[in-house]
Amino acid sequence: MHTLYVELEERSYPIYIGRDLFAGSDLLSRHIHGRQVAIVSNETVAPLYVQRIRDALGEVDLVSEIVLPDGEQFKTMQTLQLLFDRLLQEGHNRGTTLVAAGGGVVGDIAGFAAASYQRGVNFVQVPTTLLAQVDSSVGGKTGVNHPLGKNMIGAFHQPRCVLIDTDTLHTLPGRELAAGLAEVIKYGLIGDEPFYRWLHEHMAKLLARDQAALAEAIERSCANKAAVVASDEREGGIRAILNLGHTFGHAIETAQGYGEWLHGEAVAAGMCLALRLSAERGWVPEVEVTALRQLLQSMALPTAPPPELAAGKFLELMARDKKVVDGQLRLVLLRGIGEAVIVSDVSSAELMQLLQN
């Protein structure tokens, strides 16, 4: 097992990465500070892992199992309300701990519930998808989607710990594994060129679920994200570089209907657009745009937006993104591999030409 830390002073917490983390371990129970626990999962994950989590809780007085419907389309205020209903009906108080067991949707909803329920209770992240393990479970972003935009309603609320059991990836569908690897690639592009080159060399092993390669990729990704979050917890500055490809990607997800494209698939296409724009500004060699596209294609990930999404509609959706500040759309581009920059001088004409091409 490897342990990393997100350094946020009194809100600091560990990230545990390893195999079979619950058997004969107090890793979970040591972070349960009350006598009540609500395990929040979904219909797919609950039958696989909830009992293992329940067995690792230690001595508590109340354990509720709250199973949500599975899918990005259920990341809504209505689902959040169902979660609040159960917590209230079963008598959970301010000392309860929510344990989120699932992918990014479960983690975001449970985290938002924890941030809001009785003005804030503890929660623990147990991510079971690669994307959640390397991205959404770390950093304290929580929330739900709105029909007009992704993740528009939420709060920052840090977990007590993150438990990443790499054995959960054995049951992950191949499409979701590849989508998670898109976020892994992002970390190399924005600030870790040696890692990015390593990913090109080891992608076949990662897709084959080689345990050593996956553990290395997860640890490097989490270390990169933890460092960025520690320097800018609430995205007032540098943390925005984690959004490489996301403004484009969120527009795709909103346009297609949540759940049609996986988040990582939309980010993959968005990263290609960001690199294309960076190359057109003369910051990135054309060969790097081609190399990224070929890498993503080898993973069966999209490298362009859906053809039916008109450029005008795309721009309209991007303008609603939460990263728009005072009417200025901020985008993350690259001045080189491993060197992300945040820009707010991309004109509508420049974006229109990019999307039309």
Side-chain angles (χ1 to χ4, degrees), residues 22 66 69 73-74 141 262 300 351:
F22 297 108
I66 304 175
Q73 65 271 33
F74 298 108
K141 280 187 175 182
L262 296 177
L351 284 172

Side-chain angles (χ1 to χ4, degrees), residues 137-171:
S137 67
V138 178
K141 280 187 175 182
T142 73
V144 296
N145 299 330
H146 187 279
L148 296 180
K150 185 176 170 70
N151 293 331
M152 282 296 185
I153 304 165
F156 285 95
H157 191 57
Q158 300 295 343
R160 301 294 301 189
C161 73
V162 181
L163 284 87
I164 298 175
D165 190 332
T166 57
D167 284 344
T168 61
L169 299 180
H170 291 313
T171 58

Side-chain angles (χ1 to χ4, degrees), residues 76-155:
T76 63
M77 291 294 290
Q78 289 76 18
T79 303
L80 183 68
Q81 184 64 45
L82 293 175
L83 180 47
F84 287 142
D85 290 346
R86 286 287 304 280
L87 292 172
L88 289 166
Q89 289 164 2
E90 299 186 22
H92 285 267
N93 58 37
R94 298 184 74 177
T96 196
T97 298
L98 272 60
V99 178
V105 172
V106 168
D108 280 8
I109 292 178
F112 190 21
S116 309
Y117 187 68
Q118 301 203 17
R119 296 187 175 92
V121 299
N122 291 332
F123 88 113
V124 170
Q125 288 272 21
V126 184
T128 62
T129 68
L130 181 60
L131 193 146
Q133 290 173 353
V134 301
D135 185 52
S136 60
S137 67
V138 178
K141 280 187 175 182
T142 73
V144 296
N145 299 330
H146 187 279
L148 296 180
K150 185 176 170 70
N151 293 331
M152 282 296 185
I153 304 165

Side-chain angles (χ1 to χ4, degrees), residues 13-330:
Y13 55 93
I15 305 169
Y16 304 112
I17 305 168
R19 301 185 65 180
D20 200 16
L21 293 186
F22 297 108
S25 167
D26 69 343
L27 287 179
L28 179 57
S29 61
R30 74 176 67 163
H31 295 286
I32 306 297
H33 297 292
R35 304 287 297 180
Q36 298 181 336
V37 174
I39 304 172
V40 184
S41 190
N42 66 33
E43 296 163 338
T44 302
V45 173
L48 298 171
Y49 302 115
V50 163
Q51 188 58 52
R52 290 171 59 189
I53 293 169
R54 189 173 187 129
D55 293 342
L57 290 174
E59 295 186 9
V60 293
D61 296 330
L62 172 64
V63 180
S64 299
E65 297 179 13
I66 304 175
V67 180
L68 307 178
D70 186 11
E72 184 81 25
Q73 65 271 33
F74 298 108
K75 188 178 168 183
T76 63
M77 291 294 290
Q78 289 76 18
T79 303
L80 183 68
Q81 184 64 45
L82 293 175
L83 180 47
F84 287 142
D85 290 346
R86 286 287 304 280
L87 292 172
L88 289 166
Q89 289 164 2
E90 299 186 22
H92 285 267
N93 58 37
R94 298 184 74 177
T96 196
T97 298
L98 272 60
V99 178
V105 172
V106 168
D108 280 8
I109 292 178
F112 190 21
S116 309
Y117 187 68
Q118 301 203 17
R119 296 187 175 92
V121 299
N122 291 332
F123 88 113
V124 170
Q125 288 272 21
V126 184
T128 62
T129 68
L130 181 60
L131 193 146
Q133 290 173 353
V134 301
D135 185 52
S136 60
S137 67
V138 178
K141 280 187 175 182
T142 73
V144 296
N145 299 330
H146 187 279
L148 296 180
K150 185 176 170 70
N151 293 331
M152 282 296 185
I153 304 165
F156 285 95
H157 191 57
Q158 300 295 343
R160 301 294 301 189
C161 73
V162 181
L163 284 87
I164 298 175
D165 190 332
T166 57
D167 284 344
T168 61
L169 299 180
H170 291 313
T171 58
L172 189 67
R175 182 185 174 194
E176 292 198 25
L177 180 73
L181 286 168
E183 287 281 4
V184 172
I185 291 168
K186 176 195 73 178
Y187 291 111
L189 286 170
I190 64 174
D192 192 343
E193 182 179 3
F195 182 40
Y196 180 64
R197 305 304 177 195
W198 182 91
L199 289 168
H200 277 269
E201 296 170 7
H202 291 81
M203 188 52 67
K205 285 187 174 182
L206 292 166
L207 291 171
R209 305 182 198 236
D210 178 89
Q211 280 291 326
L214 282 170
E216 175 74 11
I218 292 167
E219 185 172 355
R220 291 280 290 272
S221 299
C222 287
N224 275 293
K225 182 159 190 181
V228 173
V229 170
S231 65
D232 179 18
E233 181 182 3
R234 292 178 174 262
E235 204 172 295
I238 192 64
R239 181 168 176 169
I241 67 171
L242 296 171
N243 294 318
L244 177 70
H246 283 59
T247 300
F248 294 111
H250 287 171
I252 293 170
E253 289 182 85
T254 302
Q256 295 301 101
Y258 300 121
E260 289 299 313
W261 281 44
L262 296 177
H263 175 67
E265 293 171 338
V267 167
M271 290 191 300
C272 286
L273 288 168
L275 238 67
R276 173 79 266 154
L277 190 54
S278 300
E280 290 179 0
R281 290 187 165 207
W283 294 347
V284 174
E286 188 68 34
V287 65
E288 296 291 2
V289 181
T290 301
L292 175 63
R293 185 181 300 117
Q294 290 175 342
L295 178 63
L296 295 172
Q297 287 171 342
S298 75
M299 303 158 63
L301 287 172
T303 58
E308 68 271 18
L309 179 52
K313 180 63 174 179
F314 206 132
L315 283 180
E316 178 188 331
L317 292 169
M318 289 176 67
R320 296 180 190 158
D321 192 273
K322 62 183 182 296
K323 291 175 282 296
V324 173
V325 178
D326 296 330
Q328 292 286 335
L329 176 63
R330 296 188 302 165

